[in-house]
Amino acid sequence: EDKVVQSPLSLVVHEGDTVTLNCSYEVTNFRSLLWYKQEKKAPTFLFMLTSSGIEKKSGRLSSILDKKELFSILNITATQTGDSAVYLCAVVDYGGSQGNLIFGKGTKLSVKP
Amino acid sequence: DTGVSQNPRHKITKRGQNVTFRCDPISEHNRLYWYRQTLGQGPEFLTYFQNEAQLEKSRLLSDRFSAERPKGSFSTLEIQRTEQGDSAMYLCASSRDLEKLFFGSGTQLSVL
């Protein structure tokens, strides 16, 4: 059965710390991996990764994909309280179930001042 | 606003009542998804449409749940004979083919 596993499930850090969130996956026909940030309501899109080894960056956030080892990481440097959110990982799987998109349970990040 | 729109934002109902939610996707998006999310959990897949065709339904979608997308544009999700366990955030999302999903703000359902 396809699955996407995120770790840790929750994390508490202080402002200024650097965090690394993990997402591993097992799917039948991988197409891409997506990261979302969810604060109070709708998840908002962060990154889409399709190729191994190419880092995507947006400000203090960056992400990379390893298609050989089947995982991705999301890095946040110099964390701020506004980074507190649930970070969701999802994998697009050609021919898979759930509309070809499998979500992990998320990592809840809390950044303390 | 050209994003995904969901109505209502909040719904409070009594157990046993029927409720209906609406989702208006981004206009050129052919795929539309419904998810349910409870506190501390990732979105749980309910169903998805490609244009007007409902292509997949989760085991979570009991016979009290029905979804439609009659003209391949907006979609409705109806829950009949609501139960307290139906209380959750119902999220709609749309995409063009298998590109990234755009989410609506959700409908928060509380069943008393």
Side-chain angles (χ1 to χ4, degrees):
Chain A
E1 186 176 317
D2 294 342
K3 59 182 181 181
V4 176
V5 178
Q6 292 187 245
S7 64
L9 291 180
S10 66
L11 188 56
V12 180
V13 300
H14 287 96
E15 270 192 316
D17 288 350
T18 293
V19 297
T20 298
L21 310 182
N22 303 291
C23 177
S24 64
Y25 61 90
E26 291 179 38
V27 297
T28 312
N29 293 295
F30 177 88
R31 174 186 164 113
S32 58
L33 185 145
L34 307 167
W35 283 98
Y36 286 86
K37 177 182 181 182
Q38 187 174 26
E39 297 176 84
K40 291 196 173 11
K41 294 284 186 180
T44 53
F45 173 78
L46 294 175
F47 299 111
M48 182 163 75
L49 304 159
T50 54
S51 302
S52 269
I54 298 175
E55 187 182 49
K56 295 253 179 137
K57 283 182 72 76
S58 176
R60 296 176 294 103
L61 277 66
S62 63
S63 184
I64 197 160
L65 174 68
D66 185 328
K67 288 166 73 173
K68 184 178 174 187
E69 300 297 330
L70 308 183
F71 76 92
S72 173
I73 59 172
L74 176 68
N75 276 322
I76 309 175
T77 58
T79 51
Q80 302 171 358
T81 54
D83 295 325
S84 296
V86 174
Y87 290 84
L88 296 166
C89 171
V91 173
V92 179
D93 173 24
Y94 273 129
S97 62
Q98 302 187 23
N100 310 117
L101 186 67
I102 316 293
F103 274 92
K105 293 192 185 304
T107 293
K108 182 177 179 180
L109 174 65
S110 300
V111 182
K112 303 265 186 225
Chain B
D1 182 13
T2 57
V4 179
S5 174
Q6 289 189 248
N7 288 289
R9 297 291 293 273
H10 304 274
K11 180 70 178 178
I12 300 173
T13 191
K14 290 184 179 178
R15 193 175 52 183
Q17 298 293 306
N18 298 345
V19 294
T20 300
F21 311 141
R22 178 179 169 123
C23 172
D24 287 89
I26 293 172
S27 59
E28 64 268 24
H29 285 184
N30 56 346
R31 283 182 168 234
L32 186 148
Y33 296 76
W34 284 101
Y35 292 92
R36 183 175 70 185
Q37 189 174 28
T38 52
L39 207 58
Q41 298 291 318
E44 295 175 296
F45 171 79
L46 293 178
T47 188
Y48 94 100
F49 293 83
Q50 182 151 316
N51 301 311
E52 66 274 11
Q54 187 175 19
L55 295 186
E56 190 178 350
K57 293 193 285 188
S58 161
R59 287 189 299 273
L60 291 173
L61 215 66
S62 75
D63 56 8
R64 297 184 298 105
F65 287 71
S66 62
E68 294 182 343
R69 193 183 184 197
K71 294 181 181 176
S73 56
F74 74 92
S75 176
T76 57
L77 177 69
E78 181 183 18
I79 309 174
Q80 295 182 325
R81 305 181 302 281
T82 50
E83 301 172 358
Q84 286 184 323
D86 297 331
S87 296
M89 172 76 80
Y90 290 84
L91 289 167
C92 175
S94 71
S95 72
R96 182 166 46 204
D97 298 318
L98 286 172
E99 297 178 3
K100 64 189 180 190
L101 249 59
F102 291 84
F103 283 87
S105 295
T107 294
Q108 181 67 52
L109 173 66
S110 299
V111 182
L112 305 177

